[in-house]
Amino acid sequence: MENGIEAGLTHRQARAGALPHKNPFEQHNFLYVLTFCPHVQSVDQFRNDLSHQEALWKKGLTYFCILFIVAGLLWSLMYYILGFPLPALIPGSYGVLSLSSLIFFLITGKFPVFRFFQFLLILILPVALQLSLGGFINSGAVMIWAILCPLGALSFAPPGQSLIWSSPEFRLTMNSTPTTR
């Protein structure tokens, strides 16, 4: 009974033989949609000397990468259906390049290379898409999505990386927006 109480059960639950409740966040399986890939769940097992923070960075960026691959391919399909074949190539190629970097990471375990490549793709995609759609207004200010690059660096990289990625994002945004006279 003491073990059940120590595991967070009430006296009544412990006497009834209830099993302790497992928090899905403790198991790092909080995105049940992505449980089809056992490598994603054990991504922190590439190295035994990882800190907890590095393991969370790897898992988080891997999950977001998978979601962004799906979003990029759907976005590409949407542009193609709407009759924009050239702009459809940009998010489609983002999905393919992002998938190849994810496979590279799962095979080699080189997270800094994977992280750099992901941030670079997130930075370049909106700029290229905006240019292919005819500018800031015609694209619906798709360039604003490039802010995900420094935000991703803030979330999945050591301190200071966000500042490094903010500079090119700011320059690209300023150079690709129209000036009024």
Side-chain angles (χ1 to χ4, degrees):
M1 189 183 305
E2 290 296 322
N3 291 337
I5 294 171
E6 290 173 5
L9 299 175
T10 64
H11 288 287
R12 181 175 291 162
Q13 290 171 331
R15 276 185 274 146
L19 295 173
H21 172 70
K22 293 190 176 185
N23 184 351
F25 290 100
E26 292 174 3
Q27 299 172 358
H28 303 291
N29 291 331
F30 53 90
L31 291 174
Y32 294 108
V33 176
L34 303 175
T35 57
F36 65 88
C37 184
H39 299 291
V40 172
Q41 295 175 7
S42 62
V43 100
D44 60 335
Q45 295 175 359
F46 281 114
R47 303 203 191 286
N48 294 330
D49 58 346
L50 285 177
S51 72
H52 182 69
Q53 182 66 43
E54 290 172 332
L56 288 176
W57 287 343
K58 285 184 176 187
K59 286 181 181 181
L61 190 57
T62 303
Y63 285 136
F64 277 107
C65 178
I66 292 170
L67 292 174
F68 286 170
I69 290 169
V70 172
L73 294 175
L74 289 175
W75 195 1
S76 178
L77 180 64
M78 180 188 70
Y79 274 130
Y80 188 75
I81 290 172
L82 290 174
F84 298 103
L86 178 63
L89 289 175
I90 296 169
S93 60
Y94 168 82
V96 171
L97 290 171
S98 192
L99 178 63
S100 64
S101 74
L102 178 63
I103 292 169
F104 169 79
F105 168 60
L106 292 175
I107 291 172
T108 65
K110 295 181 179 180
F111 183 67
V113 175
F114 169 66
R115 180 176 54 206
F116 175 81
F117 196 65
Q118 286 301 309
F119 292 163
L120 186 65
L121 286 174
I122 292 170
L123 183 65
I124 291 174
L125 167 74
V127 175
L129 192 55
Q130 180 170 307
L131 292 174
S132 73
L133 288 170
F136 189 79
I137 295 171
N138 290 339
S139 71
V142 75
M143 180 61 211
I144 295 172
W145 282 99
I147 195 69
L148 290 176
C149 177
L151 289 177
L154 191 62
S155 301
F156 304 115
Q161 288 287 314
S162 182
L163 292 174
I164 294 171
W165 286 102
S166 293
S167 177
E169 189 274 331
F170 180 74
R171 289 180 184 164
L172 285 171
T173 302
M174 289 296 111
N175 290 335
S176 66
T177 55
T179 58
T180 58
R181 294 179 184 201

